[in-house]
Amino acid sequence: MKFRIEWTYRVPKGKEVVFFSDEMPVEVAIEIAEDLERTGRVKKLRFEDQFDSSWTLKEVKAYLKEIETEPHHLSVYFDGGYERTSGDAGLGCVVYYKQNGKLFRRRTNTKLDGLISNNEAEYAALYFCLQELEVMEVRRQLVTFIGDSRIVINGMEGEWPLEEDKLGSWVKRIREKMNSMGIQDEYQLTPRKSNAEADKLATQALKGISIASTSEILD
C-alpha cells in the first residue's frame, strides 16, 4: 500500500503552513515522517491511503509490522496464449513477493476454452493472477502487474478505448475483483523476452502441463 503524508509545519515565529506529499511506499513514508518529526517543527502529521482513510504514524508502523507476516511487495507477471483453431487459451502467472523477511516466487498456470482472441486470453491471464492472489489471501496491498500486452496494460490504465465488448466485460470483472480485495494496481509494460516465465507457463498450459509451485529465492 502507498501513503500520502500531510503535515502542518510551524515556523519559529509561530506561522504555520500545510504540506502534502505524493504517494509513496509505506517504508519510505515512515522514514520521511520520522525525519520531519525530528525537526521539532511539525505540529500535526497524518497519513492517507489510496482509500482516503486517515492513519497516524503509530498506526502505519503497526501496519508495516503486520504485513511482514503476509505476502507483500508483490510483482505479478502475466501472459495468455491462444489457439485460434480450438479457442483454447493457456494462462501463466508468476508472483514475486516478500513474507517474513524472505523472497518467494509462485508459479501457476491454467487452461481455458471458449475464448475468441489472443487479447481476451491476455485479460483472462490477468484475472487468473487475481484469483491466485486471492488464494494467497492478499488484501489491501499495492500490486505491480507486469505484462507484454499493450492492449491490456493501456486498457487497464484507461488510455485506450476497448473496441471489443468482450474485453470491456473482462475489465469490469477485473476491477470488481480488485475492489473486493482492496488491491491498488499499477502496471508495467515489458518486452516479451522479459516475460518469458509467464509465457512458458501459458504455453505449458496449452499442452496440458499443469504447474503450481512456490519456492524461496535465495541470495
Side-chain angles (χ1 to χ4, degrees), residues 22-190:
D22 294 329
E23 286 187 342
M24 63 189 75
V26 58
E27 298 91 343
V28 177
I30 290 173
E31 180 182 356
I32 291 176
E34 289 178 334
D35 188 64
L36 287 169
E37 287 193 331
R38 281 193 289 269
T39 66
R41 294 181 180 176
V42 175
K43 182 178 180 181
K44 180 181 178 182
L45 187 147
R46 70 185 185 95
F47 301 79
E48 280 194 358
D49 60 26
Q50 70 268 27
F51 306 102
D52 294 325
S53 297
S54 182
W55 302 59
T56 65
L57 179 57
K58 183 178 179 180
E59 289 170 337
V60 174
K61 286 182 176 180
Y63 166 75
L64 180 60
K65 185 176 181 180
E66 176 186 336
I67 66 171
E68 280 299 317
T69 61
E70 302 174 357
H72 60 282
H73 285 191
L74 295 129
S75 295
V76 178
Y77 291 79
F78 67 93
D79 195 59
Y82 180 70
E83 287 184 348
R84 187 179 299 275
T85 54
S86 65
D88 291 337
L91 315 180
C93 175
V94 184
V95 184
Y96 287 91
Y97 63 98
K98 287 185 177 181
Q99 189 172 11
N100 295 318
K102 299 177 181 180
L103 181 62
F104 295 90
R105 179 184 66 174
R106 180 181 178 94
R107 300 168 63 248
T108 53
N109 67 357
T110 194
K111 186 177 181 179
L112 285 184
D113 57 17
L115 302 189
I116 63 172
S117 69
N118 187 71
N119 288 336
E120 187 182 5
E122 294 282 4
Y123 273 103
L126 179 56
Y127 188 80
F128 172 61
C129 288
L130 287 175
Q131 292 176 312
E132 288 301 305
L133 294 178
E134 193 169 38
V135 171
M136 296 168 61
E137 299 184 346
V138 173
R139 291 289 186 275
R140 294 180 68 87
Q141 294 279 353
L142 170 67
V143 182
T144 303
F145 295 96
I146 305 166
D148 56 50
S149 171
R150 191 177 296 274
I151 291 289
V152 173
I153 299 296
N154 288 340
M156 292 305 301
E157 291 183 332
E159 295 183 4
W160 282 7
L162 298 174
E163 298 180 358
E164 299 178 41
D165 290 341
K166 200 148 190 177
L167 298 186
S169 67
W170 277 107
V171 172
K172 183 179 179 181
R173 288 178 65 187
I174 291 167
R175 284 290 174 209
E176 288 176 348
K177 176 69 76 174
M178 287 183 178
N179 289 338
S180 70
M181 297 170 65
I183 287 179
Q184 181 185 12
D185 55 324
E186 62 180 20
Y187 299 90
Q188 291 181 14
L189 182 65
T190 191

